[in-house]
Amino acid sequence: KNSKIVEFLQGGIYSAFLCLAFKPHEARAEFFNGGIFAEDEETQEESQESTAIAETIENEEGGMFETTIAKALGGIAQAVFNIASSDTLNLGFKDYDELIFNKTIFNGLSTENISPFDSNTWTKIMKWYKIFISLAFIPILIGSIVTSYKFIIAGTSITRRNEAKDALMRLVLGGVAIALAPIFVKLVLLINSNMVSALVSTTTGGLNNLLGNSIFTEIKTGSAIATALVICLFAYLFIKFNIKFIIRKFTLIVFTVFTPLIAGMWIINKNVTGAAIWFGQILVNAFMQFVYAFLFIIYMDFTSAADGWAVSLLWAMMILPLGDVLLNTMQNLVSRIAGLNNEEMAN
């Protein structure tokens, strides 16, 4: 009995939450202002976004019943989006403009603030990088001793001389890699940011026109239900992309900080696969933003109501798998050895 009561109460709470999620702005304002709650700026902004989605659905073709269902679906999608992007809950999620298109980064692009790192984050990375340089001193010292020993015992043996030269070359290249790795990571991220900027600026209307409105209000399929379904799909993609980009940022931090130890292990043993994995993960995660920016822009630029709602919906569903295909292709070009699977971690 108690479990049934709990389920009943949960159902009531969820129903009330969803009703408030897609209530008209005037009704919500009256409810909050007339009750014990005061509607703040964030709540007003969410209400305006919900109204914008409702207007987008109303502009599509469909009967009254179809439009009502579509508005309900749009309200649920907006509720998910509002919860995920709420400053009060502070989940750390970002909207599409900032996450995919670097909207805020382009306003002040510099070598100190390169997506996904700001200057403070990069300072912390360099702090930990210095610590790992100290930790890498031991394998580098071992590599130096082994290299010296190989030269001593090489004698007149051509094979041993080649091994000694190879060990010396790895020692030099390992030191160079430790010194230049942060510059390489920053350069790759800067190239990615500029590629995203160039890609967006070459679309019809430029960056400002493309990102001026919410991405939800830009969806037009010619059918109210189809538009609502695509909006729901984009709400799912919003959560999915944020998870993927959160993992992306953490992966870049970990592999950048861990570089000295990877270089130290490679100096000792040339068969260590860490270098291949390192290059693969740095490049794939760095250019992940460009790949998805490309897919989103292609989708928004080529899909239209004339193509039919099925085309619009199927194209939207293909954004994630196509992104994975392009990223896997990029990683295979760098190395055949797989590193972390961000898709499995996001699931």
Side-chain angles (χ1 to χ4, degrees), residues 4 56 110 125 144 200 210 232 301 326-327 342:
K4 291 183 178 180
T56 300
S110 67
I125 292 175
S144 302
V200 176
L210 180 64
C232 288
D301 201 30
L326 293 176
L327 291 173
N342 286 357

Side-chain angles (χ1 to χ4, degrees), residues 198-249:
L199 183 64
V200 176
S201 63
T202 55
T203 59
T204 304
L207 176 64
N208 293 330
N209 291 337
L210 180 64
L211 305 181
N213 300 318
S214 171
I215 195 168
F216 289 161
T217 59
E218 295 291 331
I219 299 171
K220 295 177 177 61
T221 65
S223 169
I225 288 290
T227 298
L229 289 175
V230 175
I231 289 175
C232 288
L233 179 60
F234 269 94
Y236 162 76
L237 292 177
F238 173 76
I239 302 296
K240 186 75 172 179
F241 278 120
N242 269 278
I243 293 175
K244 289 178 74 71
F245 274 73
I246 289 173
I247 294 173
R248 169 194 182 231
K249 182 177 181 179

Side-chain angles (χ1 to χ4, degrees), residues 46-91:
E46 291 172 0
S47 299
Q48 293 173 358
E49 290 175 351
S50 299
T51 303
I53 288 182
E55 291 177 353
T56 300
I57 294 174
E58 285 179 353
N59 292 332
E60 300 286 14
E61 296 180 2
M64 183 178 65
F65 181 71
E66 181 182 357
T67 303
T68 301
I69 296 177
K71 285 183 179 180
L73 293 174
I76 294 174
Q78 186 63 59
V80 172
F81 180 81
N82 290 341
I83 291 173
S85 58
S86 173
D87 293 334
T88 303
L89 297 178
N90 194 25
L91 295 181

Side-chain angles (χ1 to χ4, degrees), residues 8 45 73 86 90 108 137 176 181 187 191 194 200 250 258-259 261 288 297 300 302 347:
F8 175 78
E45 183 178 352
L73 293 174
S86 173
N90 194 25
F137 175 77
V176 173
L187 177 63
I191 292 173
N194 282 280
V200 176
F250 187 65
F258 204 71
T259 301
L261 281 181
M288 180 188 295
I297 290 175
M300 299 300 292
F302 280 84
N347 291 332

Side-chain angles (χ1 to χ4, degrees), residues 38-48:
E39 192 175 57
D40 55 11
E41 293 182 0
E42 182 180 354
T43 304
Q44 293 177 0
E45 183 178 352
E46 291 172 0
S47 299
Q48 293 173 358

